[in-house]
Amino acid sequence: MIVNFPGDKRSTSISFREVLENAMTENRTVIITTLNQAWAEPNSLFDLFLESFRIGQGTQKLLQHVVVVCLDSKAFERCSQLHPNCFYIETSGTDFSGEKLFATPDYLKMMWRRIELLTQVLEMGFNFIFTDADIMWLRDPFPRLYPDGDFQMACDRFFGDPNDSDNWVNGGFTYVKSNHRSIEFYKFWYKSRLDYPELHDQDVFNKIKHEALVSEIGIQMRFFDTVYFGGFCQTSRDINLVCTMHANCCIGLEKKLHDLNLVLDDWRKYLSLSEQVKNTTWSVPLKCT
C-alpha cells in the first residue's frame, strides 16, 4: 500500500508497513489512532490527545510509537505538522473529513474501515494498542495489560471479572497480539458486518462474541477494569491509578472537547500536588451527561 501525497515534504512515497516499522517498539507493538479533519482542526481533539502524552506520567516516550492513520488529506496535512508518524489512507467514494455522528451511515463506514485496517496490521505481524483520539493518556498503560490474552478491550462498564465477555465493552481502546487466532477473529468480525448492516463494530462484537466459531478460533479475551481505563460512562475512581480517560457515552465534538479539557485541567492540578491524595474526584462529565 503506497500513498503519494504532494503536501508531505518529508517523503513523496511511504508504505504503511514502513510507517509501522518506524514507530514500533522492540517487540513490534505500535499505538494506532485514526483521525479526520473535524478532529484534527487546531484546538480540537487531536491537540488534546497529543497534549495528554506530553503531560502524562511515563507517556512522553510513548509518542514515538504512535501511528496516526488519517482518513482525509486535511487531517494528514495537519498531522504532518505535529507528529512524525502519520499515514494517509484513501477510501474511494466516501468523504470522512467532517464530524461523523454516532451510528450514521458514514460513521459506520469509518468504523468498519478501521477494523479492516487493524486486520492488515495484524497480518503484517504487528501487535497494536488501538486508541480513539478522544482518549487522554495520563499514565503508561503497558504495565496494566494482561500478560495473557490475545485480545484485550476497555469497557464502558466493568463488573469485576476481566474474563467476563458480558462486561459492557468499548472498542475505543484495545490491545491485540498478532497471531493466527487474532487474525482469524478480526477477519470474522469484519465479515460479520454483512450480517448486521445497521450496527457498528462494537455492537457486532457483542453479537458474535459468544458464537461457536469464536470458541473454535480459540482467541483469549480479557477486559480492562475502569479503575485503570476509565471514561465518562464509568469514571476511574482513583486518580492515583488511572491510565486513560475516554470521552465515551458522549455524542458531539463540542461536548467531548469541553469535558476532556476539564480532564486535563484536573490532571494538571493533581500533578501540582506535593503528595498523593485519596478520594480525588473528577470534574467530569459535565456536558457529557
Side-chain angles (χ1 to χ4, degrees), residues 232 235 245 258-260 262-263 266 282-286:
F232 296 164
T235 53
M245 277 286 280
H258 180 274
D259 281 7
L260 287 177
L262 290 180
V263 168
D266 287 348
W282 298 93
S283 300
V284 292
L286 284 184

Side-chain angles (χ1 to χ4, degrees), residues 73-249:
S73 61
K74 291 290 187 183
F76 180 74
E77 188 175 2
R78 179 94 205 294
C79 181
S80 299
Q81 296 168 1
L82 301 175
H83 187 69
N85 304 317
C86 305
F87 182 76
Y88 173 35
I89 183 165
E90 294 188 73
T91 304
S92 59
T94 304
D95 178 11
F96 285 139
S97 61
E99 180 182 0
K100 303 304 176 192
L101 294 177
F102 183 76
T104 59
D106 277 356
Y107 175 88
L108 296 179
K109 289 178 186 176
M110 193 161 65
M111 294 300 99
W112 288 115
R113 187 69 185 95
R114 185 172 87 184
I115 296 297
E116 183 182 33
L117 181 85
L118 293 175
T119 306
Q120 294 169 356
V121 173
L122 294 172
E123 288 178 319
M124 287 189 280
F126 296 95
N127 315 307
F128 66 77
I129 288 181
F130 176 82
T131 173
D132 280 342
D134 62 345
I135 292 179
M136 301 295 98
W137 284 55
L138 305 176
R139 284 190 178 87
D140 181 354
F142 279 91
R144 297 294 183 185
L145 304 178
Y146 298 109
D148 59 346
D150 307 308
F151 174 93
Q152 305 180 26
M153 181 182 269
C155 299
D156 285 339
R157 293 195 178 275
F158 179 75
F159 300 119
D161 182 0
N163 299 299
D164 183 5
S165 59
D166 287 328
N167 286 300
W168 294 1
V169 300
N170 188 295
F173 189 97
T174 52
Y175 168 60
V176 187
K177 297 175 183 176
S178 174
N179 56 41
H180 69 278
R181 294 181 298 275
S182 62
I183 292 169
E184 286 307 306
F185 174 71
Y186 264 77
K187 286 181 177 178
F188 176 57
W189 191 1
Y190 183 70
K191 182 181 178 182
S192 296
R193 79 195 189 284
L194 301 175
D195 297 325
Y196 305 99
E198 296 182 356
L199 298 184
H200 63 93
D201 57 317
Q202 189 173 302
D203 283 346
V204 172
F205 173 84
N206 283 324
K207 292 286 188 182
I208 67 173
K209 62 189 178 186
H210 296 306
E211 289 198 13
L213 182 57
V214 174
S215 297
E216 291 172 20
I217 291 171
I219 190 166
Q220 291 183 305
M221 294 186 180
R222 301 289 182 270
F223 302 94
F224 293 125
D225 193 331
T226 50
V227 166
Y228 307 111
F229 300 89
F232 296 164
C233 304
Q234 189 175 35
T235 53
S236 52
R237 296 179 293 280
D238 190 343
I239 200 168
N240 299 303
L241 298 175
V242 64
C243 294
T244 61
M245 277 286 280
H246 188 187
N248 53 5
C249 291

Side-chain angles (χ1 to χ4, degrees), residues 2-35:
I2 302 291
V3 164
N4 292 290
F5 186 72
D8 184 5
K9 297 176 182 177
R10 296 166 295 126
S11 168
T12 56
S13 175
I14 186 166
S15 71
F16 189 34
R17 181 186 294 274
E18 287 175 296
V19 175
L20 295 171
E21 287 176 347
N22 288 340
M24 70 182 185
T25 65
E26 289 183 0
N27 72 342
R28 295 182 65 83
T29 300
V30 291
I31 300 167
I32 301 178
T33 193
T34 52
L35 188 66

